[in-house]
Amino acid sequence: MKKLLLIIPIAAVLIYFFTYSNTEARVTLTHSPDQVIQGEPIQITLKGTKKRDNVSVTFGDTSVPMSMYDKKLVGFVPTSITKPVGDYTVTATVGSKTLTDTISVITREKYVAPLGIPQTLGGNTAKSQKQLVDTLALDNQSLLGLGTESSALWKKAFAYPVADPIVTDPYGYSRQTGAYSITHKGTDFRAPVGTEVLAVNDGVVKLAQYGRNYGNTIVIDHGNGVQSFYMHLSRSDVVVGDEVERGDVIGLSGQTGYAEGPHLHFTLRINDVSIDPMVFFGFFQ
C-alpha cells in the first residue's frame, strides 16, 4: 500500500511536467502586419499558451503587455510616424522557452494636401496660421499622460466609432496650411452633424472637454496603453470617470474647433503614440 501511495504523486508530477513541456513546445510568436509602415501599430501574438504570469514580451527594450483575446495572447506596439526605418527584434519568454521575431519598419510615402483655416479661427492669414500651430502644440501636449489601466479593460473586438465608417481623410499625410505643414495623426470619418459617435470598446472616460482646435473632445482609456480620441463633436454625453461599453453612444459628431466641415476626427494612441487607426481596426476583422 505504501509503494502505491508513492507511485501516485510521482505519476502526477510526471504528467504535469510533460504536459507543461509540451505546452511550451507548441507556443508560437507572430506579428502583423508583415512589414510595418512608419506610424502603423504592430500586433504581437502568442498562440499555444493561456498563462500570462509566466510570459514576458519585449519590443527592443520596451516591455509589451499581453492580453487574452480570441484564445490567444495579444499585445500592441506603436511605431511613430518618424520612427527610424530598419529591423527590430521582438523577444518572448514563456516559462523556460525563448522565442524571437524580426519586424521590419519601412518608410511611409509622403503625401501633402492643402488645408485652410476656418473663419472662426481667423481665416488664412499669417497671424492665424502661427496661432494655429502654436496652440495645436499646446493642445497635443495636454492630451499626453492621461493615465492608463495596467490591464486590458476590453475582451471583445474593437469596432468603428460610427455605424457607417466611410473615411474622408486618412492617417499620416501632411496638411499644408500656409507656411506650415501639419501631420494628420488620425482618421476622419464622414459624419454629418448629429451622427451618433460610439465607443470603440469597453473603457473608462479619461477626458471630456472643449478645446480651441479640437472642439468637443472625448478620450477613452481601454487599458494597457490603448486610448481612443473623438474630436470636433457637437455634443458630449459622458464625463470623466464614466465606464463605457463597446457601442455606447458617447456624443454626437459636429464641426467644433479646427474643422472646415462636419466630420469625426478619430485618433488612436498606444502609450501616447498616435498610430493609424484603420490598421488597428484591421487586426479585429
Side-chain angles (χ1 to χ4, degrees):
M1 180 63 70
K2 290 183 179 180
K3 290 183 179 180
L4 179 62
L5 292 175
L6 287 173
I7 292 172
I8 292 174
I10 292 172
V13 170
L14 289 173
I15 290 171
Y16 173 83
F17 175 78
F18 285 115
T19 300
Y20 187 74
S21 297
N22 288 336
T23 298
E24 283 189 11
R26 291 196 301 268
V27 175
T28 59
L29 171 66
T30 59
H31 73 270
S32 180
D34 292 334
Q35 280 192 320
V36 181
I37 299 172
Q38 291 169 313
E40 290 185 343
I42 304 166
Q43 179 177 254
I44 297 172
T45 302
L46 274 174
K47 292 182 180 179
T49 180
K50 295 182 180 180
K51 296 178 178 291
R52 281 175 285 182
D53 54 354
N54 70 328
V55 172
S56 173
V57 179
T58 57
F59 177 79
D61 297 326
T62 304
S63 178
V64 181
M66 304 296 286
S67 307
M68 184 61 63
Y69 170 71
D70 194 25
K71 300 180 181 180
K72 57 185 179 288
L73 289 176
V74 298
F76 304 106
V77 176
T79 67
S80 72
I81 205 163
T82 58
K83 188 172 186 65
V85 300
D87 292 339
Y88 295 83
T89 301
V90 175
T91 303
T93 301
V94 183
S96 60
K97 182 176 183 178
T98 299
L99 305 95
T100 60
D101 193 11
T102 300
I103 298 177
S104 297
V105 176
I106 62 176
T107 303
R108 174 174 291 273
E109 184 178 346
K110 295 186 181 299
Y111 173 69
V112 181
L115 184 69
I117 300 175
Q119 290 300 320
T120 54
L121 295 184
N124 292 311
T125 67
K127 180 180 178 180
S128 62
Q129 290 165 13
K130 185 177 187 307
Q131 186 178 16
L132 172 67
V133 171
D134 291 344
T135 54
L136 270 175
L138 293 173
D139 287 350
N140 289 329
Q141 189 64 34
S142 72
L143 296 176
L144 297 174
L146 295 177
T148 183
E149 295 296 320
S150 58
S151 59
L153 302 178
W154 54 276
K155 293 183 180 179
K156 301 177 183 178
F158 279 76
Y160 292 110
V162 289
D164 186 19
I166 298 174
V167 175
T168 56
D169 261 346
Y171 169 94
Y173 77 98
S174 295
R175 291 170 161 177
Q176 194 67 37
T177 304
Y180 300 93
S181 181
I182 303 170
T183 303
H184 189 232
K185 293 184 179 180
T187 295
D188 289 349
F189 291 96
R190 180 179 297 169
V193 174
T195 300
E196 291 184 339
V197 175
L198 315 173
V200 297
N201 217 326
D202 300 353
V204 177
V205 176
K206 287 291 184 178
L207 180 142
Q209 69 179 26
Y210 184 89
R212 176 189 186 273
N213 299 303
Y214 294 133
N216 285 315
T217 300
I218 295 171
V219 181
I220 298 175
D221 175 43
H222 305 286
N224 277 356
V226 180
Q227 295 179 329
S228 55
F229 295 66
Y230 314 75
M231 299 175 174
H232 307 306
L233 306 178
S234 62
R235 192 182 81 192
S236 173
D237 294 336
V238 294
V239 296
V240 173
D242 281 353
E243 295 182 1
V244 297
E245 296 182 355
R246 185 185 71 168
D248 282 352
V249 177
I250 59 174
L252 301 179
S253 65
Q255 191 180 338
T256 56
Y258 177 32
E260 288 196 308
H263 68 281
L264 172 67
H265 174 96
F266 178 81
T267 288
L268 197 70
R269 289 183 180 176
I270 302 174
N271 299 332
D272 278 338
V273 177
S274 297
I275 51 87
D276 189 336
M278 298 307 287
V279 175
F280 186 86
F281 286 129
F283 296 150
F284 300 90
Q285 302 304 307

